[in-house]
Amino acid sequence: MSEKKWVYLFNEVDKAQEAVGGDWEDVRAFLGGKGANLGDMTRAGIPVPPGFTVTTEACLAYLHEGNKFPEDMWKQELEAMKEVEQLTGKKFGDPSNPLLVSSRSGAKFSMPGMMDTVLNIGLNDETAEGLAEKMGDARFVYDAYRRLVEMFGSVVLDIPDEAFEHPMSAYKAKKGVKSDTELTAEDWKSITETFKAVFREHTGTDFPGDPYEQLKLSTEAVFKSWNGKRAVDYRNAAGISHDLGTAVNIVTMVFGNMGWESGTGVAFTRDPATGERKLYGDYLLNAQGEDVVAGIRNTEKIQNLENDLPEAYQEFLDICEKLEVHYRDMQDVEFTIEDGKLWMLQTRTGKRTAKSAVKIAVDMADEGLISNEEAVLRISPDEVDTLLHPQFDISALNQAEDEGRKIAHGVNASPGAAVGQIYFDADKSELKAKEDGQDVIMVRPFTKPDDVHGMLAAKGILTSEGGATSHAAVVARQFGVPCVVGAADIKIDLEKRQMDVNGKIVKEGDWISVDGTTGDVFLGKMPTIAPSLEEQTDLLTLLNWADEICAAPGIRKAPEGWPTKGLEVWANADYPADARRARSYGAIGIGLCRTEHMFFEQERLPIVQRMILADTSEERTAALDELLPYQRSDFSGLFEAMDGYPVIIRLIDPPLHEFLPSEEELLEEVITMRVTGKTERLEEKEELLEDVQSMHESNPMMGLRGVRLSISMPEIVEMQVRAIFEAAAEQTKAGIEVKPEVMIPLTGTVKELDWIQPRLERIAADVMKEQDVNFDYKFGTMIEIPRAAVTAQEIAEVAEFFSFGTNDLTQMTFGYSRDDAERNFLITYVEEGILPKNPFQTIDQDGVGRLMRISVEDGRKSRVDLEVGICGEHGGDPDSIEFCHLIGNNYVSCSPFRVPIARLAAAHAALKHSNN
Ligand code: ADP
Ligand code: MG
Ligand code: MG
């Protein structure tokens, strides 16, 4: 059996790839990202200083065996050093021509907490003297030597940085010099000796002069750093596996500080902020790697290198281009020029802003580097989310931080930037926003369902308590209001109408700026940039590609007769203006129009109340006759906005008492009237109170609502259906293509549909006949009661479509009332791992999802072309969207704001699960 290979020279990357079975991701895990790419660049003929990688496997074996190198590893490392000596013509530890190397850690994913780089390994008293003589530059050599002692001490042996910094500044002070550049060779030599003394003092041993000892100790230190606290914490936070290990890269030193023909720099192959296709980076002549990052000297823009070192610059440009073609993505590179000769020291995929990510993906697809599908897959739904919300101007952010105006930080619950005057309750927030037209930030310890009117009127929401699933967070996300929750530094005094933020008092009416994207809170007004979708042409292109992916028949594997395209994205919209916004965001249907919202409008509510309280059928009909034209015009506007696309209108759903004044309110009025003797309307109010009391239900959510209400009082829905079809007829005559779908809510048994649906269909037929028009329509139901889900096969014999109302379905499946759950125990459940996520945000696949799956499968047994969708808030959640794709939904419907996110998520689901 051949011995196990623990060490790979950079020019042996083929062998490494073979050893792991060919897949590049496995090579990255095996050699670490840095090592794999150094090998890969070497293979591509790009100049990389000779070197080798000790594998992550060796690291794991070392840690596993109680900090012992695995058998043969050290032997192989020594052999690899011999090869590097061959390649460079230098010798490790040889004073006449010493080889110097760096030791660099590198795991599969780049992560802070891993061991820092040690440069100049191989220097000792002898090699330093030899090198100084050979180069004729003792100053340079002793500067390098003291750096080694310092780095080796702090990185490998954990000596605190100050231990070196103090004697260094003391030395400079004694000599009366300010800058390092004023120090001579003798100075550096003397500082090296001082550093060696510091080393001895802290470790009890001499600085190891033996280069091989240096190599061995730094290799071990890199291995051990895998289990260092900072690295472990980071992996926990970032969800990176603890079994990957880190590799060690030993790289021949190249020097950017050998004079003015030398230099070093870092660059991105495209602009990481905007995505623009031009190099973005900095360099310094006559400097070493860290100098650029440390900002000791002012760096030059990478483009200026063309004037300083034109040949090296041209070669660098060519290499950058080559790297982009090779990796098919924007790269972040490090390079050093030694005496005019360019060396590449690192390349990796560059981090970027959401805006830049979209531009780069679209450009690279246009350039033919990647396919449209890959471009779509490179952007996450979260990035799209970020791009659609107003953001603070970056320079204003920096300025505010410099001026100390960043006052608090909380959970970034709903993205976007908001600026406004603060108010501490919902009523006042609404009042100030609506009546005075102010920009309002509503500030509360936490919010409750009866705060929603204030939250909707506000530009932003800030709470001092609660987490990502708190009521404030959930509502804010649903309505696209920027929100920060749980900003614990804020102490709200509702009595005094002010808040205390670390001693700073902010009063009601003062301006603050809230960044829901980052969770930061600032004092004062900050300028925002409001991106509109129409202006983001790259994003539009990308979303069109996403739509094309979903529109392709066959992208989804499905049983005979089921949809084989991806999901369509529809929107929930109650008003024509919402529908138009939904269309502009790319929705191709309305999945939910809630008609009762129309009942709440000021001029209509009295009519609605009259209708509810009617004593006789004639009175009721008269009130409904008055309401009909209102409803008809609402629907008419919706059909017009959705010309050619389906519109699902849900018949009245809430219990009737919601349209009446509350019992407490009426009771108070009646008592006041009796006490004060102002009794003109007393009788009327007393009657109303009696009616309201008679309608009292102990649990209205499970009471007389939805289809139950329609059966007990069919006149309302009969009016609604007439209004829908009259509106549809009117628009058909006007040349609009209408596709009305009437949705019956809260069905629990097919008998309910058997009772109500034929009556309604008769009205539909009547209207078409009266108006002499014809168009297609559907009658269907919501699936939001578990009994409906498990009897879906029978229900689908009557219903022509299903729409999952996943909010109620989740409430009833879990037996939770959402508001109570989110206020009282859901956060604990998620924190304790009893639930993986808030089931009101992401569908609970095992329970609620199982019911959904049964519904689709059984429903399509009765009606293979049953149209299935979802209209709950989950319709805009990427994980839930993927689930809807898998169970065979035709579409998802979400709030208009989330339509672009859903379009991208639908394409991701389609690509992820397609076999092409
Ligand atoms: P990081 O992961 O922190 O970027 P690196 O291993 O890339 O760490 O190295 C830190 C700095 O040292 C970088 O500027 C890098 O270019 C420089 N460096 C590392 N190895 C060498 C070498 N062999 N020759 C010259 N500079 C080097
Ligand atoms: Mg590092
Ligand atoms: Mg680096």
Side-chain angles (χ1 to χ4, degrees):
M1 208 188 95
S2 67
E3 65 181 24
K4 179 140 187 96
K5 199 163 159 55
W6 304 104
V7 176
Y8 289 84
L9 288 159
F10 294 157
N11 62 22
E12 290 181 322
V13 71
D14 282 331
K15 275 194 204 166
Q17 193 151 7
E18 217 170 276
V20 295
D23 189 64
W24 185 247
E25 280 306 296
D26 295 334
V27 181
R28 284 171 40 83
F30 189 51
L31 300 180
K34 199 181 277 170
N37 283 359
L38 285 169
D40 202 24
M41 285 197 284
T42 305
R43 170 163 68 183
I46 290 168
V48 171
F52 57 85
T53 304
V54 188
T55 65
T56 55
E57 248 178 28
C59 168
L60 294 174
Y62 171 87
L63 295 172
H64 187 73
E65 287 165 37
N67 296 358
K68 253 184 66 214
F69 285 154
E71 202 181 325
D72 286 333
M73 189 208 96
W74 181 243
K75 194 185 92 197
Q76 291 178 24
E77 205 171 335
L78 295 178
E79 283 164 9
M81 277 309 276
K82 289 275 167 293
E83 290 293 327
V84 175
E85 287 176 343
Q86 281 281 313
L87 290 166
T88 57
K90 298 175 181 176
K91 267 181 83 88
F92 201 45
D94 176 358
S96 67
N97 187 18
L99 169 67
L100 305 185
V101 297
S102 64
S103 153
R104 314 166 70 188
S105 63
K108 178 172 184 184
F109 306 105
S110 84
M111 51 191 236
M114 292 311 303
M115 210 195 69
D116 286 336
T117 300
V118 179
L119 302 176
N120 306 334
I121 292 173
L123 279 175
N124 56 27
D125 294 353
E126 291 77 36
T127 54
E129 203 178 309
L131 190 61
E133 204 164 301
K134 176 167 177 273
M135 291 177 63
D137 189 349
R139 185 184 183 282
F140 166 83
V141 172
Y142 285 100
D143 183 10
Y145 192 9
R146 67 90 197 178
R147 278 188 208 236
L148 171 64
V149 180
E150 183 177 351
M151 282 181 161
F152 195 87
S154 66
V155 172
V156 179
L157 292 158
D158 280 332
I159 301 173
D161 290 337
E162 305 85 67
F164 295 105
E165 280 159 13
H166 289 160
M168 179 80 189
S169 22
Y171 189 93
K172 282 200 274 188
K174 198 178 79 193
K175 288 276 294 190
V177 304
K178 284 215 176 64
S179 139
D180 287 3
T181 51
E182 297 169 64
L183 296 171
T184 65
E186 280 311 309
D187 290 329
W188 286 124
K189 200 167 174 177
S190 149
I191 289 167
T192 305
E193 288 308 315
T194 311
F195 280 8
K196 282 200 259 178
V198 170
F199 189 99
R200 205 174 305 119
E201 204 177 293
H202 276 84
T203 63
T205 55
D206 283 337
F207 171 75
D210 176 2
Y212 289 99
E213 185 69 12
Q214 295 169 6
L215 184 67
K216 194 176 201 168
L217 286 173
S218 45
T219 302
E220 280 195 80
V222 172
F223 284 170
K224 283 186 206 155
S225 72
W226 178 254
N227 281 339
K229 182 173 164 18
R230 217 153 69 90
V232 172
D233 288 350
Y234 180 82
R235 290 199 296 274
N236 282 336
I240 295 175
S241 158
H242 295 295
D243 326 316
L244 291 169
T246 177
V248 183
N249 300 290
I250 303 299
V251 189
T252 302
M253 282 303 300
V254 288
F255 295 98
N257 54 345
M258 292 231 308
W260 300 102
E261 297 281 289
S262 303
T264 185
V266 293
F268 291 85
T269 54
R270 304 192 185 208
D271 190 323
T274 65
E276 198 189 334
R277 192 181 183 186
K278 78 173 213 276
L279 279 187
Y280 178 94
D282 305 284
Y283 74 100
L284 272 175
L285 289 184
N286 201 6
Q288 272 214 306
E290 319 86 75
D291 300 345
V292 174
V293 188
I296 299 165
R297 277 161 54 191
N298 284 335
T299 55
E300 294 284 333
K301 267 208 165 71
I302 190 77
Q303 277 77 12
N304 294 347
L305 187 61
E306 177 156 32
N307 307 325
D308 286 333
L309 299 169
E311 273 170 44
Y313 182 68
Q314 191 52 51
E315 189 183 1
F316 182 64
L317 283 187
D318 294 344
I319 288 173
C320 285
E321 179 128 10
K322 201 164 164 183
L323 288 173
E324 273 208 345
V325 171
H326 184 68
Y327 291 107
R328 303 155 71 244
D329 205 346
M330 184 256 265
Q331 296 294 297
D332 165 2
V333 300
E334 294 175 9
F335 66 93
T336 284
I337 300 164
E338 181 183 278
D339 242 347
K341 163 94 183 106
L342 175 69
W343 296 100
M344 299 302 292
L345 289 172
Q346 188 169 342
T347 188
R348 61 183 161 197
T349 299
K351 298 227 177 345
R352 64 203 78 178
T353 61
K355 180 176 173 189
S356 167
V358 170
K359 178 159 174 57
I360 289 173
V362 170
D363 283 353
M364 285 195 165
D366 285 342
E367 290 158 25
L369 277 181
I370 58 175
S371 65
N372 293 1
E373 285 80 7
E374 278 179 287
V376 166
L377 282 173
R378 280 190 186 178
I379 306 304
S380 73
D382 279 350
E383 283 172 313
V384 176
D385 199 5
T386 308
L387 288 174
L388 293 175
H389 290 89
Q391 285 147 43
F392 287 120
D393 184 58
I394 192 84
S395 57
L397 274 181
N398 292 335
Q399 195 187 338
E401 269 196 53
D402 289 348
E403 293 171 5
R405 286 195 283 119
K406 181 167 144 186
I407 52 170
H409 181 81
V411 178
N412 49 342
S414 174
V419 182
Q421 293 170 266
I422 58 171
Y423 292 98
F424 293 103
D425 66 73
D427 290 341
K428 196 146 181 196
S429 294
E430 187 184 37
L431 190 80
K432 290 288 174 187
K434 289 220 167 130
E435 312 240 305
D436 304 347
Q438 286 187 10
D439 288 343
V440 168
I441 305 284
M442 179 168 143
V443 183
R444 296 284 304 167
F446 55 87
T447 65
K448 300 195 302 295
D450 51 6
D451 291 326
V452 171
H453 60 289
M455 301 168 77
L456 292 186
K459 289 273 185 273
I461 298 160
L462 171 64
T463 73
S464 55
E465 297 170 26
T469 61
S470 61
H471 178 265
V474 172
V475 172
R477 273 196 295 277
Q478 183 176 355
F479 293 100
V481 184
C483 173
V484 172
V485 298
D489 285 341
I490 294 177
K491 305 274 170 285
I492 299 172
D493 188 333
L494 293 173
E495 295 282 288
K496 288 197 191 141
R497 305 249 137 215
Q498 64 183 36
M499 59 186 189
D500 179 334
V501 197
N502 298 319
K504 225 172 236 156
I505 301 296
V506 191
K507 291 195 156 53
E508 194 155 70
D510 286 353
W511 288 86
I512 65 168
S513 301
V514 173
D515 193 338
T517 310
T518 60
D520 290 335
V521 182
F522 300 88
L523 211 54
K525 280 186 191 184
M526 291 218 293
T528 59
I529 312 167
S532 80
L533 184 59
E534 295 89 88
E535 284 162 17
Q536 303 187 54
T537 48
D538 294 314
L539 182 56
L540 285 175
T541 305
L542 194 84
L543 291 173
N544 282 336
W545 292 345
D547 293 347
E548 282 168 17
I549 290 163
C550 284
I555 187 87
R556 182 156 45 170
K557 276 216 322 235
E560 186 69 31
W562 288 38
T564 70
K565 297 196 254 178
L567 290 167
E568 291 184 1
V569 177
W570 299 11
N572 300 344
D574 299 338
Y575 300 98
D578 299 335
R580 282 190 289 274
R581 178 183 297 125
R583 280 292 302 133
S584 77
Y585 281 177
I588 54 172
I590 298 299
L592 175 65
C593 164
R594 289 169 297 186
T595 48
E596 56 272 9
H597 277 204
M598 303 167 169
F599 286 176
F600 277 111
E601 277 179 31
Q602 232 173 16
E603 44 180 351
R604 307 180 191 180
L605 196 56
I607 314 176
V608 173
Q609 294 179 342
R610 225 183 316 129
M611 181 270 292
I612 294 170
L613 298 168
D615 290 326
T616 65
S617 176
E618 288 79 45
E619 270 176 51
R620 174 154 301 141
T621 312
L624 285 167
D625 284 347
E626 270 186 75
L627 281 174
L628 183 118
Y630 286 117
Q631 289 252 286
R632 191 172 51 216
S633 79
D634 293 328
F635 298 142
S636 191
L638 275 181
F639 290 132
E640 192 182 353
M642 297 305 292
D643 187 3
Y645 297 105
V647 176
I648 294 186
I649 296 167
R650 180 178 72 183
L651 302 178
I652 188 167
D653 184 44
L656 290 181
H657 73 83
E658 285 195 13
F659 302 100
L660 300 175
S662 77
E663 192 177 334
E664 296 83 54
E665 203 178 301
L666 283 168
L667 201 59
E668 203 180 304
E669 274 184 77
V670 166
I671 293 171
T672 318
M673 283 179 181
R674 285 188 188 140
V675 171
T676 57
K678 291 190 185 147
T679 53
E680 305 105 79
R681 295 179 63 199
L682 179 61
E683 210 174 310
E684 176 195 331
K685 292 282 173 187
E686 278 175 339
E687 224 171 276
L688 188 56
L689 178 61
E690 221 169 279
D691 281 328
V692 168
Q693 278 167 339
S694 76
M695 287 168 74
H696 174 84
E697 292 182 304
S698 47
N699 190 347
M701 180 187 114
M702 296 187 158
L704 187 62
R705 53 173 284 221
V707 67
R708 305 159 200 167
L709 174 63
S710 305
I711 289 171
S712 78
M713 203 185 276
E715 299 94 325
I716 304 176
V717 287
E718 283 168 0
M719 177 280 286
Q720 289 193 303
V721 170
R722 177 160 278 278
I724 292 169
F725 282 84
E726 285 184 1
E730 179 184 305
Q731 288 299 352
T732 307
K733 286 181 191 162
I736 298 283
E737 188 188 349
V738 297
K739 296 186 169 176
E741 302 191 10
V742 180
M743 181 153 77
I744 297 166
L746 224 68
T747 303
T749 149
V750 70
K751 297 284 183 206
E752 290 168 320
L753 292 185
D754 281 340
W755 196 95
I756 193 83
Q757 195 170 307
R759 293 173 180 247
L760 302 177
E761 290 197 63
R762 217 170 301 131
I763 295 172
D766 285 350
V767 174
M768 297 224 283
K769 204 151 146 219
E770 283 160 31
Q771 305 281 333
D772 194 21
V773 287
N774 221 320
F775 46 82
D776 286 336
Y777 60 87
K778 286 192 173 100
F779 275 82
T781 187
M782 290 186 79
I783 301 290
E784 47 191 337
I785 289 183
R787 192 183 188 285
V790 296
T791 59
Q793 191 169 345
E794 294 159 39
I795 289 182
E797 274 165 17
V798 184
E800 295 166 290
F801 67 86
F802 284 174
S803 175
F804 291 110
T806 44
N807 193 31
D808 269 325
L809 188 59
T810 301
Q811 296 201 88
M812 310 233 198
T813 302
F814 276 95
Y816 297 164
S817 129
R818 175 176 184 169
D819 291 337
D820 297 329
E822 286 185 336
R823 194 151 8 122
N824 297 327
F825 60 85
L826 260 191
I827 296 174
T828 315
Y829 266 38
V830 174
E831 277 170 1
E832 293 294 321
I834 293 167
L835 291 174
K837 283 185 172 172
N838 179 350
F840 293 102
Q841 261 172 35
T842 297
I843 284 172
D844 152 52
Q845 296 194 6
D846 297 342
V848 177
R850 179 106 199 277
L851 287 173
M852 292 167 71
R853 196 187 281 277
I854 290 169
S855 306
V856 183
E857 281 169 7
D858 288 358
R860 290 210 175 113
K861 283 182 196 155
S862 294
R863 193 185 291 273
V864 75
D865 60 349
L866 182 77
E867 173 189 275
V868 181
I870 176 176
C871 63
E873 203 190 309
H874 297 97
D877 167 66
D879 289 342
S880 308
I881 291 171
E882 181 181 349
F883 182 72
C884 288
H885 174 92
L886 288 173
I887 63 171
N889 265 24
N890 297 73
Y891 68 87
V892 294
S893 185
C894 56
S895 110
F897 300 105
R898 292 198 69 84
V899 165
I901 298 158
R903 288 162 72 192
L904 190 80
H908 279 202
L911 289 171
K912 185 169 163 192
H913 299 287
S914 88
N915 292 329
N916 309 335

